[in-house]
Amino acid sequence: MFHQIDLDQIDISTVPPLEEPERQYYFMAKMREVVQSEAKRLGRPLRVFNLVVGCQMNAKDSEKLLGILKEIGYVETEQEEQADLVVYNTCTVRENANQKVYGRLGYLKRLKQVNPSMQIVLCGCMMQEPNVVATIKKSYHFVDVVFGTHNIFKLAELLYTRQESGSMVIDIWEGTKDIVEDLPTQRKYAFKSGVNIMFGCNNFCTYCIVPYVRGRERSRDPEEIIKEIRELVADGVVEVMLLGQNVNSYGKTLAQPISFAQLLRRVEQVEGLKRIRFMTSHPKDLSDELIEVMSQSKKICRHLHLPLQSGSSRILERMNRHYTKEQYLELADKIRRAVPDISLTTDIIVGFPGETEEDFQETLDVVRKVRYDSAFTFIYSKRTGTPAAAMEDQVPEDVVKDRFSRLLKEVQQISAEMSSRDTGNVVEVLVEGINEHRDGYLDGRMSNNNLVHFKGDPSLIGSLIPVRLDESKGFYYMGTEV
Ligand code: SAH
Ligand code: SF4
Ligand code: F3S
């Protein structure tokens, strides 16, 4: 367990150990010395600014990066201009995410001209693309450290290498079989936390870049997962979100295979844990056993994110999703029968190559039949290297935009209707924080992932309390503590 490690006890006068995580403890101790002497010179602690975009995996990775940085003496700042160290943890799932990073780098270049000792670290999914790294090497000389998704545990070592070498450090791994445990993390919330249960993805949906930038699927040992959750609970966490690109295939490749449903049963037994969520479920691997566990569970939240992507069986086949429209609808029905109060949410892509108006109508049909509580809708983005990028019949932009706005309208209308169905009920909510728009109000999250705003004392943050849902505002409720 990391918090049993005392960096002061590490002998940094010798050569670094080869074993992980001991090697990283050594470099954290080394870097702490560097950071302490710089802080002394400046007469203030060194500050880090972290930008994180993308999915929950990236959010979790950033907590690990900040955990290491805190250990070596950095304090977090919200002001990028005042930072001594800037860390961008990037996403590349759609092209516009990349454009934003290049835009921000232009801004950082100017900041670094004013403050030459500022260090810039780029990491995450976008860095796993060889053309991105080539561009950074060629046109962004002021960047200090570049690494990808497989070696984030090495942050302290890479910062130290940069310190010693005086030039840009690039360390990108193509993949890894290993999972380094027992490193520090800095949780964003005291009362809830993401927990990685697996890394990578083997599905190769034809539009998606994630398998290329996150590598092959690797499941974490269930013992390690349970140990981490126990420690989190001992530290005040009441809700965990189990994270994986396809949690339904968890455990299949372990030496002692275990199903996701079996893992959930074990997590449920952790005493003191109140709520369990998970992301993301691929429809093709969602088992009857999982539905049964969900229907029996007292802790698993009444929410399932079940990405549809398209309602057309023809497009689903071209997407390599391994289910048809009919199978998806049947699955949604089965889940609703077993867990009637469940909220279903989804992801939908419009404008996949070859999508016709008829295909799009099939998507609208599924949206109307399933009636999602909410849906993330995306315009198809061409990702170089994926099979779909090479497909010939790309859909013209104006057609895609028109379909996108029609889909959005439908989704929003249904979502507003669905989200108001609990009006008048008293539900248990986890109080997550102070409401940013109304003085004296708090935000509570319901089991089905909807939000309620209600008057209350900030001391309630982190606790589970009953709240009456007085009025639906479409995307959230106004409520009263009871
Ligand atoms: N593993 C998760 C999704 C990860 S990416 C799953 O399989 O559901 C999150 C969402 O981004 C996807 O569900 C998909 O809807 C969207 N997405 C992925 N690649 C995309 C692309 N090339 N263009 C547009 N949207 C994309
Ligand atoms: Fe991408 Fe498909 Fe893997 Fe999800 S399951 S990360 S959409 S390849
Ligand atoms: Fe983006 Fe990487 Fe997640 S590409 S969506 S941050 S896995």
Side-chain angles (χ1 to χ4, degrees), residues 93 200-211 245-246 280 282 284 307 309 319-321 349:
V93 78
C201 181
N202 283 355
N203 290 306
F204 291 95
C205 302
T206 53
Y207 50 82
C208 184
I209 202 164
V210 171
Q245 292 298 351
N246 177 11
T280 301
H282 195 307
K284 79 177 164 74
Q309 313 302 2
M319 287 177 159
N320 193 30
R321 290 289 289 180
I349 298 175

Side-chain angles (χ1 to χ4, degrees), residues 5-13 22 24-27 29:
I5 314 287
D6 181 357
L7 292 186
D8 286 331
Q9 301 301 315
I10 294 173
D11 180 3
I12 51 174
S13 62
E22 290 73 17
Q24 296 313 312
Y25 300 158
Y26 170 93
F27 281 108

Side-chain angles (χ1 to χ4, degrees), residues 54-55 58 90-93 125 210 214 245:
C55 64
N58 256 21
T90 60
C91 169
T92 186
V93 78
C125 294
V210 171
R214 286 270 170 181
Q245 292 298 351

Side-chain angles (χ1 to χ4, degrees), residues 154-220:
K154 275 184 75 180
L155 177 62
E157 179 173 352
L158 297 173
L159 286 173
Y160 190 73
T161 313
R162 169 68 185 82
Q163 179 78 20
E164 295 296 289
S165 72
S167 57
M168 188 193 287
V169 172
I170 300 178
D171 190 17
I172 311 288
W173 296 7
E174 278 192 13
T176 180
K177 287 199 190 69
D178 300 328
I179 297 170
V180 180
E181 301 281 356
D182 294 332
L183 286 163
T185 62
Q186 166 79 10
R187 288 204 315 276
K188 189 170 170 199
Y189 298 97
F191 51 87
K192 65 171 187 176
S193 178
V195 174
N196 295 114
I197 62 165
M198 58 205 299
F199 301 92
C201 181
N202 283 355
N203 290 306
F204 291 95
C205 302
T206 53
Y207 50 82
C208 184
I209 202 164
V210 171
Y212 304 88
V213 297
R214 286 270 170 181
R216 292 297 60 73
E217 194 175 289
R218 301 170 303 287
S219 292
R220 245 178 115 192

